[in-house]
Amino acid sequence: MAEYTLPKAYDFSTTEQEIYAWWEKNGFFKPWNDPHKPGFDPNIKPFVISIPPANVTGELHLGHAMVVSMEDLMIRYHRMKGIPTLWVPGIDHAGIATQLQVEKALAKEHLTREQIGREEFLRRTWAWKEKYGGIITSQIRRLGASCDWDRERFTMDEGLSRAVREAFVRLYEKGLIYRGPRLINWSPGLKTAVSDLEVEYSEEPGTLYYFKYMFAAGESQPGDDLIYIPVATTRPETILGDTAVAVHPDDPRYQRYIGRKVVVPILGRQIPVIADPYVDREFGTGALKITPGHDPNDFAIGEKHGLPVISVLDESARVNENGGPYCGLDRFEARKNLWEDMRRAGLVIKEEPYMLNVPRSQRGGEIVEPMISTQWFVRIEPLAKAALDAVKDRRIRIVPERFTKVYYNWLENIQDWCISRQLWWGHRIPVWHCADCGKMTVARDNPTHCSFCHSPKIEQDADVLDTWFSSGLWPFSTLGWPEQTPDLDYFYPTSMMETGYDILFFWVARMIMMGLEFTGQVPFETVYLHGLIRDADGRKMSKSFGNVIDPLVVMNEMGTDALRFTLLVGSTPGNDLNLSLKKVEGNRNFANKIWNAGRFVINAIGQAPKQPLAEPDWTLADSWIWARMQNLVRDVERLFQNYQYGEAGRQIYEFFWSEFADWYIEIAKLQLAEGGDRAYYTAKTLTSILDMSLRLLHPFTPYVTEALWGHLKKASQAHSPNFSPKGGWEEALIVAAWPVPRPEESWESEKIQEFTIIQDIVRIIRNWRSENNVTPGKRIPATLVSDKYIHTLQDQAKAIASLAQLDIASLNIIESLSEKPQGSAALVIGHVEVYLPLTGLVAIDEERQRLQKE
RNA sequence: GGGCGGAUAGCUCAGUUGGUUAGAGCGCCUCUCUUACACAGAGGAGGUCGUAGGUUCGAGUCCUAUUCCGCCCACCA
C-alpha cells in the first residue's frame, strides 16, 4: 500500500491559487539580499526587472501575458540560481487609453469632459482606474508573476509625480525643454497634439486635384505662355492657407514666372511664385502649393523663404476665420464645397485617382492634421546622442542583435519630441503662467506666486505630459528616484528590459535617454525583445476581426502553465508568434504528463525499500538517464545564457516526455519489480531525475512543478531520508537550487551510445511487429546476434524483452551465428542482427483478407 | 525611397559557433483501454529546407543574385 497517493487528474484551477498564496505568504517573492534588511551585502549583484505598466482598459491581453511570462521565467531562473532578484511591478500609467475609456463612459451619459469639469473628470478616472487596476493586478498574479508586490508603485501616486516634476524641471533648467508654436500632428478626435510616433500611415485610395493658380491682374508680361500655374494637391481645403506657389528654379516651364504674384482661389489673396529645389519637376504639374500652416515640408520651405504661416483649421479640424466663406465647415465638407466653387469659377483642371498615404491617429484612428500649435518640446539631440553611444559601446545590449540597427537609425534621424498633450489624464506640466508679467514659473513644488513679479495671479499650464515621458523614468522612478534610496543604490541599473519590439522607440529608447540623463547610468544592461502574438494564421489579433484569444479564458480552460509554456516555448527572440488553442492544448497535455509521471514516481518511492543493502549497481538505463540529464542541464544553461529560452524549454519537454517518461519509466517498472536494491536504486534515480526535471521546468510551468515537487518532497521525506537530494529538500521549488551543470565525464557518451542500441533494437522489432500485424500482446521468440554488444545485450535482455514484447524464455543472445535460422525474418540495425520467426505469428488468413480488402 | 524579417512535412513552427539518415506539435493512417497518464501508448505515411549560382571534404546553416510574403522607418504635393 502506497503511503502517498495523488488524484489522477491534475486540478490546476484550485492548485494555482493555493500555490500562489503560499508563495506570497512565505515571502518567496522578496529579494533575499535586501538593503532594508539586516545582513545586507551590497557587493552581491542582483537581477532586476521592472515590469512594464499594464494599461487600464480592464483587459489582460496576450501582450501582457507574454511580457509577464517571459519576465517571470527570467526572475525564477535567477532566483533559483541564488541570485537576489527584484521584480518591481507597475500597474499602469497615465495615457490616452485610459482617458478614452472614461470619455466613452461619459458619452453614454451624454456628457463631455468639459461639462463635468476637470476635477470631476479626474475623480471618475481614478475610480475607474482603481476598479480595473485591481483586476489587472489579480490577473498578473494568476500568470504566476513572482513580483515583490510590497514595492508596487502606481504611477499617478505622489512618488511618480515627484519624479516627473523633477525630470521636467531638470531638463528645463538645462535648456532641454522649450515651448513654442511649431507644426505638430494634431488629432482632431482626441483634441490633442500627438508625437510623430503616434501617427500611423495607411495607404488609401484618394484623389489628386489639379487646378489653376491664376496670375494676379497686371502680372502678365509680353511673351508669357501661361495665364496660370497648374498645381496639384490631395487636400484642396489647404488652399485656404496657401502662402506661395513653388517651382523648381531650373524648370524651363515656370522659370520666367518666379517672383510673380498669383491669386488664391475664392479668397483672392495674392501670393508669390517662389523657386525651391525641393520641388520635384516630374511629379504632378511640377508646381507645388505651399501651405506652411498645414504641411511639415511646406513649413520648412516657408521658414526658408520667410513666408507667412496661415492656420485655417481649429482644434476640431473645422475651418476657422481665415477660411473666409468656409469658416465653420468641417475640413472634408470644406474640401468639397471649395472644390465645387472653384469648378464654377473655372479654376479646376482635372481630378485623378491617386493612392494616398494617409496619416492616422494610432489611438483614435481619425486623420491627423499637421497644425501650428504652441506645445512643449524636448530638445532631443543631446539625449539621443548619449542613448546612441550607450548601445554602440555595448553598455546596453539589445537581443536580438538586429534591432540595434533599427535603434541607431531611429536615434540618428530623431526630431524634437513634443511632450505636451491637451488631455486631462496625465501628469500636469509643472509650469505656472503669470497673468501679470506673462512669465513662466517652473517649479518642483506648487508655487503660490510668480517667481518673477511675485504676483499671486498664476495659473498652471493646462497641458499634461506624454505618457512616455513618465514611462521613460520607470526603471528608476519605481526605485524611489529622485530620492537616493537604498533601493536605487542597490538595484539600479536594472539587469533586463523585456518587452515587445513594437515599443522599442516609444519606451525603450526613451528610458535609455532619460536614464542616462538623470542617473548618469544606463537603466538596464540588456534589452530582450520578444515578438508580437498573432492568431493561428499569423494575422494581427483584433476585436473587430474576432480572432482575439483571451488569456483568462485560456487559463481557465487549460491552466496557466499550459499558456505560459506555449508563449515561452513558441517564441524565438524578436520573431512573431502565431498562437493557436491547439498549441495550448498540447501543452496542457504536457502539464498532465508531468503530473502523471510524478504520480508514478511518488508511488514507486512508497514501494521501494527504505535502505540499500549494498553499493549501488546501476543499470544501463540508470546511467543513461543520468547522463542524458547531465547533458540537458548543460544545454539548458548554455541556451539560457544566450537568451534561447524557447529552445531550452523545448529540450526539457523533449527530455521529459520522450526520454524520461517513454523510456526510463518503462524500464523502471521492470527494475522496481525486481525488488531489493535494484528497486531501491531505481526509485532513487526516479526521484532525482524527477526532482531535477521539475527544477528545470519550474520557470516555464511554475504551478504544476511546485505542486508536484511539494508532493515529491513529502513522499520522499515520509519514506526515507535516503531519497533526499544532496543538501536536503529546500523549502519550496521556487527557492530550490537550479541544477548546476557539471563537466562532461567520459562514461556519459558511452552509456548514451549503448542505450541507443537498445532503443534501436526495440524500435526495429516493434516496427516489424506492427508491419506484420503481430498481435500486440503476443510474446514472440527472438535471436539477437552481436559480437560487439554481446554484454550489453545480455545485460539488457529483460528490458528488451519487455519493451519489444519478446518471450524472455526463448530469447537467444549470441555472439555469432554459423547459419541463418530457417523461416525467420532478419533485421539488421548497426552491429546487431535480429531474427524473428515467421511461422505462427502472422495470422495468415486474416492478413490475406485484409490485403484483399485493400 | 531606406532598413529588417520570413519562405523547412497537409497546417503552425524549431533547427546560433557548417558535420552522421533534417525535427516537434497538430492533422492523417494502423493498432492498443498493458495497474502514471486515452489530456495516453506503439507503429506509419509525408520534406530535392523559395529559386539560381558560389565557398567547402561537407551547406537548411556561410557568400552573391533573384522571386514572393510580412513588418518598421521616411512621407513627393
Side-chain angles (χ1 to χ4, degrees), chain A residues 47 49 69-85 146 496 564 633-643 645 648 652 695-700 702 733-741:
Chain A
F47 181 80
I49 300 181
S69 307
M70 207 75 215
E71 294 192 352
D72 194 50
L73 168 104
M74 296 174 185
I75 284 285
R76 283 174 194 268
Y77 165 68
H78 284 92
R79 186 188 286 127
M80 290 175 79
K81 290 190 89 168
I83 296 164
T85 56
S146 50
M496 175 70 74
R564 281 182 53 137
V633 171
R634 279 190 289 271
D635 286 343
V636 167
E637 192 61 26
R638 197 196 71 235
L639 291 166
F640 266 57
Q641 296 306 323
N642 294 320
Y643 310 98
Y645 305 104
I652 305 171
R695 287 170 199 253
L696 294 176
L697 278 167
H698 184 255
F700 296 90
L733 182 57
I734 189 174
V735 289
W738 184 254
V740 181

Side-chain angles (χ1 to χ4, degrees), chain A residues 191-240:
Chain A
K191 295 203 182 74
T192 179
V194 291
S195 73
D196 299 344
L197 279 178
E198 290 164 285
V199 179
E200 285 174 345
Y201 291 85
S202 68
E203 279 219 331
E204 292 167 29
T207 310
L208 189 56
Y209 300 87
Y210 290 80
F211 67 100
K212 305 169 183 173
Y213 248 113
M214 307 299 294
F215 287 113
E219 284 285 312
S220 55
Q221 287 172 15
D224 285 354
D225 309 319
L226 301 175
I227 54 164
Y228 63 84
I229 305 259
V231 174
T233 181
T234 56
R235 296 186 296 157
E237 72 278 10
T238 60
I239 292 169
L240 302 171

Side-chain angles (χ1 to χ4, degrees), chain A residues 341-396:
Chain A
D341 291 347
M342 284 167 65
R343 193 191 301 280
R344 257 176 250 126
L347 297 175
V348 167
I349 301 169
K350 62 174 176 175
E351 294 162 38
E352 240 174 34
Y354 186 69
M355 209 32 115
L356 301 175
N357 226 350
V358 183
R360 287 185 178 276
S361 155
Q362 199 186 42
R363 283 289 176 202
E366 80 282 2
I367 296 179
V368 161
E369 208 63 51
M371 293 217 308
I372 296 291
S373 173
T374 299
Q375 301 286 344
W376 290 91
F377 295 86
V378 172
R379 214 179 294 281
I380 213 78
E381 299 88 2
L383 301 179
K385 172 79 172 54
L388 210 47
D389 290 345
V391 175
K392 280 195 170 150
D393 62 25
R394 312 215 104 232
R395 274 174 293 154
I396 296 176

Side-chain angles (χ1 to χ4, degrees), chain A residues 133-246:
Chain A
I135 291 175
I136 286 282
T137 305
S138 70
Q139 290 168 352
I140 289 176
R141 287 174 190 228
R142 268 196 68 189
L143 276 164
S146 50
C147 304
D148 185 2
W149 292 100
D150 291 348
R151 282 185 170 82
E152 180 178 341
R153 279 184 172 77
F154 289 86
T155 50
M156 290 301 287
D157 74 4
E158 227 174 295
L160 193 86
S161 298
R162 279 198 58 198
V164 169
R165 280 199 181 183
E166 181 69 28
F168 186 96
V169 173
R170 281 204 204 174
L171 288 175
Y172 185 84
E173 284 170 350
K174 248 184 128 172
L176 292 178
I177 282 185
Y178 64 92
R179 183 180 190 244
R182 291 283 184 287
L183 194 77
I184 48 88
N185 302 298
W186 183 264
S187 158
L190 306 167
K191 295 203 182 74
T192 179
V194 291
S195 73
D196 299 344
L197 279 178
E198 290 164 285
V199 179
E200 285 174 345
Y201 291 85
S202 68
E203 279 219 331
E204 292 167 29
T207 310
L208 189 56
Y209 300 87
Y210 290 80
F211 67 100
K212 305 169 183 173
Y213 248 113
M214 307 299 294
F215 287 113
E219 284 285 312
S220 55
Q221 287 172 15
D224 285 354
D225 309 319
L226 301 175
I227 54 164
Y228 63 84
I229 305 259
V231 174
T233 181
T234 56
R235 296 186 296 157
E237 72 278 10
T238 60
I239 292 169
L240 302 171
D242 282 355
T243 53
V245 169

Side-chain angles (χ1 to χ4, degrees), chain A residues 299-555:
Chain A
F299 184 79
I301 293 173
E303 255 187 343
K304 200 163 135 195
H305 295 265
L307 298 173
V309 176
I310 301 176
S311 196
V312 297
L313 298 174
D314 69 10
E315 57 165 35
S316 310
R318 291 174 176 278
V319 176
N320 65 16
E321 64 284 357
N322 292 329
Y326 307 97
C327 179
L329 288 181
D330 174 79
R331 52 184 159 161
F332 301 111
E333 230 174 309
R335 175 182 298 180
K336 218 174 89 191
N337 293 2
L338 173 62
W339 192 247
E340 282 315 308
D341 291 347
M342 284 167 65
R343 193 191 301 280
R344 257 176 250 126
L347 297 175
V348 167
I349 301 169
K350 62 174 176 175
E351 294 162 38
E352 240 174 34
Y354 186 69
M355 209 32 115
L356 301 175
N357 226 350
V358 183
R360 287 185 178 276
S361 155
Q362 199 186 42
R363 283 289 176 202
E366 80 282 2
I367 296 179
V368 161
E369 208 63 51
M371 293 217 308
I372 296 291
S373 173
T374 299
Q375 301 286 344
W376 290 91
F377 295 86
V378 172
R379 214 179 294 281
I380 213 78
E381 299 88 2
L383 301 179
K385 172 79 172 54
L388 210 47
D389 290 345
V391 175
K392 280 195 170 150
D393 62 25
R394 312 215 104 232
R395 274 174 293 154
I396 296 176
R397 177 175 173 193
I398 299 178
V399 178
E401 188 79 29
R402 65 183 137 93
F403 283 102
T404 52
K405 212 169 171 180
V406 181
Y407 175 85
Y408 293 157
N409 186 264
W410 186 68
L411 283 175
E412 280 161 2
N413 300 299
I414 196 166
Q415 303 285 317
D416 280 358
W417 175 17
C418 175
I419 50 168
S420 46
R421 296 287 179 278
Q422 289 63 52
L423 303 171
W424 285 5
W425 177 246
H427 296 102
R428 289 280 288 275
I429 288 177
V431 172
W432 285 260
H433 301 275
C434 177
D436 286 332
C437 72
K439 288 187 175 159
M440 298 186 289
T441 302
V442 180
R444 290 171 175 84
D445 301 309
N446 289 5
T448 52
H449 52 264
C450 173
S451 59
F452 297 94
C453 69
H454 298 282
S455 159
K457 285 155 73 182
I458 54 168
E459 206 170 322
Q460 188 170 5
D461 197 295
D463 292 352
V464 300
L465 287 161
D466 180 9
T467 302
W468 302 105
F469 188 90
S470 51
S471 299
L473 310 173
W474 204 257
F476 43 100
S477 68
T478 48
L479 295 172
W481 187 88
E483 297 295 325
Q484 196 57 42
T485 62
D487 273 3
L488 188 63
D489 269 344
Y490 181 57
F491 294 119
Y492 189 86
T494 67
S495 319
M496 175 70 74
M497 181 67 233
E498 201 286 331
T499 189
Y501 64 75
D502 54 331
I503 49 178
L504 179 63
F505 305 142
F506 276 114
W507 197 31
V508 178
R510 262 84 176 260
M511 282 189 286
I512 296 174
M513 291 192 269
M514 302 284 233
L516 289 166
E517 174 63 24
F518 296 120
T519 69
Q521 287 177 289
V522 295
F524 29 72
E525 286 150 13
T526 306
V527 177
Y528 178 95
L529 299 168
H530 64 246
L532 307 182
I533 301 173
R534 301 170 174 282
D535 75 359
D537 302 314
R539 287 172 304 221
K540 224 173 198 164
M541 289 198 187
S542 79
K543 274 184 218 156
S544 54
F545 199 77
N547 61 346
V548 174
I549 296 176
D550 183 347
L552 289 172
V553 173
V554 176
M555 281 192 272

